[in-house]
Amino acid sequence: MIVADVMGGASGDAGRAASLAADVVCRGAAMAAAALVAIAAACGGVRAEVTTARSGQITLRATQATPLRLQLDIHAPPPARIASVAGSLGGTALVAPSLVEYPAAGQLTAIYILIDTSDPARRRAVARKIRHIRQMMTLAKPHHRFGLARFDQQLRVLVPLGAGPKAVEAALANVKADGLRTYFFEAAIEASRQLGAFQADRRALFILSDGKIEDVKTAYDVRALVAAARRASVRVYGMGYSGSAVEPREFQNLRVPSKETGGRFVKTNARFDLPADFLASPFAALGGGGRTVLDLTPARSAGLGGPANARITVALDGGQTLVATVPVLLPTLPLGGFLQKAKQPRYLPYTIGGGVAVLVVLALLFRWFVRLRRRLREAREAILPAAIAVLEFVGETGSKFEMVKRSISIGRRKDNDLALGNGSVSGYHATIHRKSDGSFIITDRDSENGVAINDEEVKIAELKDGDEVDLGEVRFRFSLTGAT
């Protein structure tokens, strides 16, 4: 009966049927275009924008990872607690589910520690810095990932970012005051850049220094450091060492970036002692807050589409509030009205035809993307960069791994650069890093079965051509002569 009614209407008014068919075809084409955008986003063609807002103790990072989901990462250092999170878009309320406290499963905090070792006369201060860092390492949490560097005229990485506290403690044995000048801003800005490139949910830069700037020709200043830290979402924690009861004016180079990035500034007394409350919980302020996701569907159902501004309100128990405007991009297809119309009996044949057409288009697009990805993979394999070192596995004929990056991670987990299936290897076992002078260092990431070079167990050590390295039961030969 439904088909007869439609056909009867079509025979009575061919123009009307043609118009309906054209309408369905246009809607089908629009749906196919939306599908193309979705596939492009899944393949990395669309990147989520990040909006950052700060007010007092509250820091908000908002990411629209999908068209109808707005992820909110909120940092409110203890003892402050988040009382409520709410949002609205075009007058439509957006209800947030309960907050998942930080750190949730898989979340990491990256902590980079910089030690000023620029003057042998500061030997006593450097010794105190080392002692304080050792105390701090005893308070590390499982989700903390550390890096350690010293600086004078240049930044020297001692422990690459991603290591555990034991690697930092081991590297401190080689730290001493033997530099000539302090290139303070250059070192701190470069460290901020390295932190920004490291995959982590929160990042902090601890600078242990007297704040003196001994490169009078530097083009950088405290404003450049603040800008670099903000770009990388880094909180600066300045730790001033002067040995004087009177605060030197150079401490402003530590105090200002700490304040402007939401970190903290502390200073020693005349005996180079830091405040006891800070040493008791140096990383406490990196915790607090959490993550929630706002559903933008109510706004879309209310007819909103395209660019819009979401209003986000975060309130703390103490009454402090952050109100932020977050740009979002809503889907523009009129899917709600179309679906209601498509369910009507007289449009059913066109709906089915349009649906089939969309499925065919999606199938063709999927096939095209599969071929494209295969060709891209083949192209990448054809232009692989030259290896800077080779790991030749002992006992496995012809098995080797070419190191083409400055730093690689080795372990049993699949997200390592070199994933090993042997059960004696920890999930994140070790890292190998090429330093700026061309030498290589290997760092034990607090693995269960340790790292040994030529049968001698190490925590952090330089690798030389021909060294045989044991990671649990896995042995490989480190080769520079075999690199292409």
Side-chain angles (χ1 to χ4, degrees):
M1 180 63 70
I2 294 175
V3 176
D5 287 343
V6 173
M7 293 304 292
S11 62
D13 191 351
R16 178 171 170 273
S19 176
L20 291 174
D23 181 62
V24 171
V25 169
C26 289
R27 293 178 186 275
M31 292 179 69
L36 178 60
V37 172
I39 294 173
C43 295
V46 178
R47 294 186 178 180
E49 296 294 331
V50 178
T51 301
T52 302
R54 296 183 180 87
S55 178
Q57 294 178 291
I58 311 172
T59 299
L60 168 70
R61 296 181 76 246
T63 309
Q64 187 182 4
T66 64
L68 294 175
R69 295 289 183 273
L70 185 62
Q71 179 176 291
L72 305 179
D73 288 292
I74 306 166
H75 186 185
R81 294 187 62 85
I82 296 174
S84 64
V85 180
S88 63
L89 189 56
T92 301
L94 306 174
V95 180
S98 59
L99 191 78
V100 178
E101 293 189 356
Y102 187 87
Q107 290 189 303
L108 298 176
T109 298
I111 301 170
Y112 207 174
I113 301 175
L114 265 61
I115 312 176
D116 183 349
T117 58
S118 58
D119 187 350
R122 300 168 183 163
R123 189 175 295 107
R124 183 185 171 201
V126 171
R128 275 296 198 177
K129 294 172 188 176
I130 294 173
R131 177 179 174 181
H132 290 153
I133 294 173
R134 291 189 189 279
Q135 288 181 255
M136 292 163 64
M137 290 303 100
T138 64
L139 301 169
K141 302 293 185 183
H143 64 281
H144 289 161
R145 296 293 181 271
F146 293 95
L148 177 68
R150 50 175 292 196
F151 70 95
D152 40 48
Q153 288 178 275
Q154 61 179 325
L155 184 70
R156 295 180 173 87
V157 178
L158 305 177
V159 178
L161 279 163
K166 292 182 181 179
V168 173
E169 291 184 31
L172 289 171
N174 300 319
V175 175
K176 57 183 178 180
D178 57 2
L180 297 176
R181 291 183 178 181
T182 306
Y183 285 21
F184 178 89
F185 288 126
E186 289 187 17
I189 289 172
E190 171 60 18
S192 296
R193 186 194 64 78
Q194 293 181 18
L195 263 172
F198 186 80
Q199 189 65 37
D201 298 277
R202 296 182 181 179
R203 303 178 181 91
L205 177 62
F206 284 72
I207 308 176
L208 291 75
S209 173
D210 57 11
K212 291 182 178 179
I213 312 300
E214 294 166 329
D215 177 17
V216 295
K217 296 181 180 180
T218 183
Y220 302 109
D221 57 16
V222 70
R223 290 172 297 179
L225 172 55
V226 170
R230 284 179 172 175
R231 280 195 302 271
S233 298
V234 169
R235 290 175 181 255
V236 177
Y237 288 78
M239 301 168 63
Y241 290 75
S242 71
S244 171
V246 179
E247 180 176 319
R249 58 185 178 86
E250 289 85 0
F251 273 10
Q252 290 300 308
N253 296 324
L254 294 163
R255 184 184 292 275
V256 172
S258 298
K259 179 181 178 181
E260 294 297 321
T261 61
R264 180 182 176 183
F265 171 76
V266 294
K267 61 182 180 179
T268 63
N269 58 20
R271 298 187 302 275
F272 293 109
D273 295 322
L274 285 172
D277 68 314
F278 174 79
L279 283 179
S281 54
F283 309 126
L286 296 175
R291 172 179 291 174
T292 188
V293 178
L294 287 179
D295 184 2
L296 305 181
T297 303
R300 184 66 197 89
S301 300
L304 294 178
N309 289 322
R311 181 182 174 90
I312 308 301
T313 303
V314 179
L316 301 185
D317 281 339
Q320 184 180 338
T321 302
L322 175 145
V323 179
T325 299
V326 178
V328 298
L329 182 62
L330 294 173
T332 56
L333 290 176
L335 293 180
F338 170 64
L339 290 176
Q340 290 181 2
K341 196 173 182 180
K343 293 177 182 178
Q344 298 178 17
R346 59 176 179 160
Y347 293 114
L348 192 58
Y350 304 107
T351 302
I352 295 174
V356 172
V358 169
L359 290 176
V360 171
V361 171
L362 289 176
L364 292 174
L365 287 174
F366 178 76
R367 182 180 179 186
W368 180 75
F369 272 103
V370 169
R371 289 182 176 179
L372 178 62
R373 290 184 63 184
R374 183 172 66 248
R375 290 176 182 175
L376 289 175
R377 183 174 63 251
E378 292 171 352
R380 285 196 299 267
E381 292 172 353
I383 56 173
L384 277 176
I388 57 177
V390 176
L391 312 185
E392 301 171 348
F393 290 90
V394 178
E396 300 182 29
T397 305
S399 179
K400 65 181 182 179
F401 175 86
E402 294 185 343
M403 181 174 172
V404 297
K405 297 166 55 179
R406 288 179 59 88
S407 182
I408 63 169
S409 172
I410 307 174
R412 197 173 65 252
R413 296 283 295 271
K414 292 183 179 180
D415 55 345
N416 287 285
D417 297 297
L418 174 55
L420 302 173
N422 192 291
S424 66
V425 177
S426 297
Y428 299 103
H429 201 107
T431 58
I432 297 178
H433 176 73
R434 183 185 182 186
K435 298 170 65 177
S436 57
D437 61 3
S439 62
F440 291 78
I441 57 173
I442 186 169
T443 304
D444 184 356
R445 297 178 65 178
D446 296 331
S447 62
E448 183 175 350
N449 292 315
V451 175
I453 300 178
N454 300 324
D455 298 322
E456 181 179 347
E457 187 170 348
V458 299
K459 287 295 182 183
I460 179 170
E462 182 176 350
L463 282 173
K464 297 180 180 179
D465 186 32
D467 280 347
E468 292 197 349
V469 181
D470 292 308
L471 307 181
E473 298 174 355
V474 176
R475 169 169 287 201
F476 64 83
R477 184 178 298 106
F478 181 79
S479 174
L480 296 176
T481 56
T484 57

